[in-house]
Amino acid sequence: CKLYPRTGRTLLRHMEEISDAGKLMDQIVENIPVDYTVKQSVLEAVGVEERYETLAGILSGEIEVAKIRTELSEKVKERVDKNQKDYILREQMKYIQEELGEDDLSESAAFESRLEQLKAGREVKEKIGKEIARFKRLSGNSAEAGVQRSYIETLLELPWEKASKDNTDIVRAEKILDRDHYGLERVKERVLEFLAVRALTKRGDSPIICLVGPPGTGKTSIARSVAEALNKKYVRISLGGVRDEAEIRGHRRTYIGSMPGRIVAGLKQAGVKNPLMLLDEIDKLAGDFRGDPAAALLEALDPEQNGTFNDHFLDIPYDLSHVLFITTANDLGSIPGPLRDRMDVIELPSYTRVEKYNIARKHLLPKQLKLCGLSGKVTLSQSALYDIIDGYTREAGVRNLERTITSVLRKCARKIASGEVESVSVTASSLEELLGPRQVKADFLNRTNMVGVANGLAWTSVGGETLPIEVQVMDEGSGKITVTGSLGDVMKESAQLAVTYVRVHAAEYGIDPERLKKCDLHIHAPEGAVPKDGPSAGVTLTTALVSCLSGMPVRGDVAMTGEITLHGNVLPIGGLREKSMAAYREGMKLVLIPKGNEPDLYEVDDEVKKNLEFLPVTNLSQVLEAALLREKKSASRRSRSSQKTQPEKAPAADSVQAGPVC
């Protein structure tokens, strides 16, 4: 009766009238909801006991089926009741919020309202409309609904067609750039050229500018000034240590916690489609098993392709052609070739002594005086600033200079705060009391016309450096050549070339060939803990060798750089601007450079060219003629003997004909 209520009520009405067991079983078989074949099996049983056993088996099976059906029905009912309860509660909460004025529109309706106000193309709006329709069909508590909600919000927040108005006033832009930065003329010129083209054409493709230079030379800070000068929104993205390609292109929405790439996130932050986006430290990118982010940037930084940039999270092409990208790097060689080819490279040189003084006087000192609360209370004399630059900092940029100035101001602040004095005037003589002894020690250089020591020039990632080479000869030997000073393979090969040249041209410089066969040579580059490599020390190695073997001293005011060949030709080198800066810093007077580097003198700072004399050379004979100090008699005697032994040799007057280039 419990499992089949209708059947049970029918049987109960006939129970009092039936007294025979056979009739009772017939009545039960007639009312139970089973197939007629099952009922036929009961009718075919003749005896009462047989019919009872057959009916009992049928009823037992039906009871088990009915129990299972009942349990399922109860569970379904419980679930329906719970969903109905949640629905009722949700509707009540919604009604309460509407009464309080807290939620006038549903979430999907709010998305549709924002879509109507969105400035975007027709295809983009259709795509967002489809995603909103899909969001409506999802259950609000499902994980997929959360992903879809985040995706729609990202699409609606992106500035598809919203742009800021660029400044076209070139005079104002130039004033802002000059106000914020001293020097950096090439960078300012490039920005003003871009602005002039934009002003004339009312459009113009945004270039990809790459600022390359030593740390602390103002690469990052100039991007902020450019953004202000052009009236653009400024977004900075640091790429140092980025290894995952998804950081650039974004994650696909199938992943948990997916999000757009840094470029799209930067546009979302800026709120306009034409911001200035600084990609800082682009040379510090590194690839691994998750992909190569430098390869992912190829599309974003190509003006021919970035009009349809594809972010994996958006899955809709986005136009990056209006973004002004500026990238920074310390080492151009660390940037992959295809990526480097897409950028307009502007190299920032090391600052000269005068430039550092002007930067400190106009920018660093006022900034730190304000931060330390010492405006009007502390003054630094010109001699003090120059002494800080020369004696306490040695760098290509000005970061350590700013730290040292801050250290001086902190010590002055302590005196003023303790009541010792009301104001402080810092001079060069008082620096040692405030900062201690000078920290920059003089480098080992040939400053007094030494024999066997020549001043070379080297390029490093933080600017130019001097690279002296010294040679010693030991007569009691077996012709062995020793090279020390952490020299790389290329530099060791240059030393071998220098030795070969000296052996071939020994007679020209009064060197005994027999002595050269028996003596041992030791070539050394000081600061042995610092690795050194490259071919540009060839002329320095040869000059030091000839000086040591001939006894002629090398001029102490001459620095040199250049690669050599087996026949004594001098080949062009790189990094002339940085190397000339190092020669200027160390007080050199004459710099010997390869003739092929003569056009590079245009890039050398004007102050350096005013204080240095540049002599372009084509062969080693010109280098040795300019660098070695010969006695007049011995020099003329060697010249006559050289003419007798080699009548076809070209005269060494090319250096005089070429003349110094300043």
Side-chain angles (χ1 to χ4, degrees):
C1 294
K2 293 181 180 179
L3 300 177
Y4 296 101
R6 185 180 299 175
T7 304
R9 287 195 297 269
T10 304
L11 287 173
L12 287 175
R13 284 199 300 268
H14 298 283
M15 286 295 289
E16 298 178 355
E17 303 174 0
I18 301 173
S19 58
D20 183 71
K23 291 182 179 181
L24 178 61
M25 286 186 285
D26 291 340
Q27 189 66 37
I28 293 174
V29 171
E30 181 182 352
N31 289 281
I32 60 175
V34 295
D35 191 66
Y36 75 93
T37 56
V38 178
K39 297 180 179 181
Q40 181 65 31
S41 63
V42 178
L43 293 175
E44 291 177 354
V46 180
V48 176
E49 293 182 1
E50 185 180 357
R51 293 176 67 191
Y52 176 77
E53 291 176 357
T54 304
L55 180 60
I58 294 171
L59 290 176
S60 177
E62 287 297 316
I63 289 172
E64 292 298 326
V65 172
K67 285 182 178 179
I68 294 172
R69 188 183 296 113
T70 304
E71 290 176 0
L72 290 175
S73 299
E74 290 176 354
K75 290 180 180 179
V76 171
K77 184 180 178 182
E78 289 177 0
R79 181 171 298 180
V80 170
D81 291 343
K82 183 178 183 302
N83 290 338
Q84 189 174 6
K85 178 182 178 182
D86 293 344
Y87 173 77
I88 294 172
L89 291 175
R90 195 175 293 111
E91 289 297 320
Q92 289 177 347
M93 185 180 297
K94 180 180 176 182
Y95 176 75
I96 294 172
Q97 289 176 343
E98 289 177 356
E99 288 295 320
L100 294 174
E102 296 178 357
D103 189 13
D104 297 328
L105 296 171
S106 66
E107 202 167 20
S108 58
F111 286 155
E112 290 175 345
S113 175
R114 291 171 61 184
L115 178 60
E116 292 178 0
Q117 301 173 2
L118 181 67
K119 293 181 179 180
R122 180 177 57 83
E123 295 181 359
V124 174
K125 285 196 168 186
E126 288 179 356
K127 172 70 173 176
I128 300 176
K130 291 179 181 178
E131 296 298 331
I132 294 175
R134 184 165 173 255
F135 176 72
K136 288 181 179 179
R137 296 191 296 268
L138 296 175
S139 174
N141 298 327
S142 64
E144 188 177 358
V147 175
Q148 190 72 2
R149 183 184 296 107
S150 175
Y151 178 57
I152 295 172
E153 288 177 350
T154 301
L155 293 179
L156 291 173
E157 290 174 0
L158 280 175
W160 297 95
E161 297 294 339
K162 185 180 179 182
S164 60
K165 186 178 180 181
D166 289 351
N167 169 46
T168 57
D169 188 351
I170 298 179
V171 176
R172 173 180 174 272
E174 187 174 6
K175 287 181 180 179
I176 292 174
L177 293 175
D178 291 336
R179 178 200 70 192
D180 294 342
H181 290 83
Y182 182 86
L184 303 178
E185 300 301 332
R186 287 194 64 206
V187 183
K188 296 176 183 177
E189 182 181 358
R190 181 67 183 86
V191 173
L192 294 175
E193 289 171 357
F194 162 73
L195 185 57
V197 173
R198 179 65 65 92
L200 293 175
T201 61
K202 306 300 180 184
R203 53 179 299 276
D205 297 331
S206 297
I208 313 297
I209 300 174
C210 180
L211 305 177
V212 180
T217 52
K219 298 182 297 298
T220 303
S221 61
I222 199 171
R224 288 194 297 269
S225 299
V226 171
E228 183 182 354
L230 300 180
N231 196 27
K232 285 181 174 290
K233 294 286 187 178
Y234 172 71
V235 179
R236 177 181 173 272
I237 299 175
S238 178
L239 298 179
V242 172
R243 295 177 176 271
D244 191 354
E245 180 189 356
E247 294 279 351
I248 307 299
R249 284 193 173 275
H251 305 83
R252 298 193 183 276
R253 283 181 290 147
T254 53
Y255 296 105
I256 297 175
S258 60
M259 61 182 67
R262 294 196 180 192
I263 293 178
V264 172
L267 289 166
K268 181 179 173 182
Q269 173 189 343
V272 291
K273 69 174 184 178
N274 60 339
L276 185 147
M277 191 169 291
L278 175 65
L279 304 180
D280 212 3
E281 308 291 354
I282 197 171
D283 58 329
K284 308 299 190 302
L285 289 171
D288 59 8
F289 64 94
R290 289 166 291 189
D292 186 1
L297 280 173
L298 292 177
E299 182 186 5
L301 298 184
D302 190 345
E304 301 296 328
Q305 301 179 27
N306 61 9
T308 56
F309 176 72
N310 184 24
D311 187 281
H312 290 159
F313 183 81
L314 296 184
D315 202 22
I316 305 176
Y318 193 93
D319 186 5
L320 296 180
S321 61
H322 302 283
V323 180
L324 174 57
F325 286 103
I326 294 182
T327 65
T328 68
N330 297 128
D331 183 10
L332 192 62
S334 301
I335 304 175
L339 183 58
R340 186 170 61 245
D341 183 61
R342 284 163 165 77
M343 298 185 291
D344 185 358
V345 177
I346 300 176
E347 295 188 11
L348 277 69
S350 306
Y351 288 123
T352 63
R353 183 171 179 261
V354 175
E355 284 178 334
K356 289 183 180 180
Y357 170 78
N358 282 283
I359 292 171
R361 174 64 65 189
K362 296 179 180 179
H363 300 283
L364 304 182
L365 184 58
K367 172 186 173 184
Q368 294 303 324
L369 283 172
K370 183 178 180 181
L371 291 176
C372 295
L374 297 175
S375 299
K377 299 179 181 178
V378 177
T379 58
L380 268 74
S381 66
Q382 178 179 351
S383 60
L385 283 176
Y386 272 121
D387 207 33
I388 291 174
I389 294 169
D390 297 334
Y392 294 91
T393 62
R394 171 167 289 183
E395 56 178 342
V398 292
R399 281 204 180 103
N400 285 331
L401 176 59
E402 184 174 10
R403 293 190 190 103
T404 307
I405 291 174
T406 306
S407 178
V408 172
L409 295 181
R410 285 199 302 265
K411 296 181 184 302
C412 295
R414 181 178 176 183
K415 290 183 178 181
I416 295 174
S418 63
E420 295 181 21
V421 292
E422 294 183 359
S423 63
V424 179
S425 179
V426 181
T427 61
S429 58
S430 61
L431 274 181
E432 191 165 343
E433 177 187 349
L434 296 172
L435 296 176
R438 293 168 66 98
Q439 298 175 2
V440 176
K441 309 300 180 185
D443 287 338
F444 170 74
L445 290 174
N446 175 17
R447 300 182 185 273
T448 56
N449 304 337
M450 297 175 63
V451 174
V453 181
N455 297 326
L457 298 171
W459 178 92
T460 68
S461 61
V462 294
E465 293 290 341
T466 54
L467 179 63
I469 300 293
E470 53 181 352
V471 178
Q472 279 287 11
V473 59
M474 293 156 282
D475 290 326
E476 300 296 331
S478 58
K480 181 181 177 183
I481 301 173
T482 304
V483 181
T484 58
S486 297
L487 306 186
D489 293 337
V490 177
M491 200 164 176
K492 289 179 181 178
E493 291 174 357
S494 297
Q496 292 291 338
L497 288 173
V499 172
T500 301
Y501 179 85
V502 172
R503 284 178 174 173
V504 172
H505 299 271
E508 299 178 31
Y509 302 98
I511 301 171
D512 185 5
E514 294 299 324
R515 179 195 178 201
L516 190 57
K517 292 179 183 178
K518 299 177 182 179
C519 69
D520 289 346
L521 295 173
H522 190 156
I523 302 172
H524 178 67
E527 296 187 24
V530 180
K532 311 167 190 71
D533 203 2
S536 61
V539 296
T540 314
L541 289 162
T542 308
T543 303
L545 269 171
V546 173
S547 171
C548 183
L549 292 168
S550 66
M552 291 183 287
V554 183
R555 288 177 56 181
D557 60 350
V558 174
M560 61 195 74
T561 181
E563 181 182 356
I564 61 172
T565 66
L566 197 59
H567 289 81
N569 295 321
V570 180
L571 302 181
I573 45 83
L576 179 62
R577 181 171 50 192
E578 287 77 12
K579 292 177 179 179
S580 63
M581 194 78 68
Y584 164 75
R585 186 177 64 238
E586 296 299 337
M588 298 290 115
K589 300 299 181 184
L590 175 65
V591 178
L592 306 180
I593 63 172
K595 184 76 173 178
N597 286 111
E598 202 169 3
D600 296 336
L601 290 174
Y602 175 77
E603 305 294 337
V604 175
D605 191 270
D606 291 337
E607 184 189 354
V608 176
K609 286 190 283 190
K610 287 179 183 178
N611 291 275
L612 288 180
E613 181 182 346
F614 291 89
L615 177 61
V617 295
T618 58
N619 54 62
L620 280 170
S621 62
Q622 296 176 349
V623 174
L624 298 172
E625 184 71 27
L628 297 178
L629 294 173
R630 305 190 186 192
E631 296 181 3
K632 293 183 179 179
K633 293 182 180 179
S634 60
S636 61
R637 191 181 304 115
R638 281 194 296 271
S639 176
R640 287 195 297 272
S641 63
S642 173
Q643 291 175 1
K644 291 179 182 178
T645 55
Q646 298 184 7
E648 298 181 0
K649 183 179 181 297
D654 293 344
S655 60
V656 180
Q657 295 174 3
V661 178
C662 298

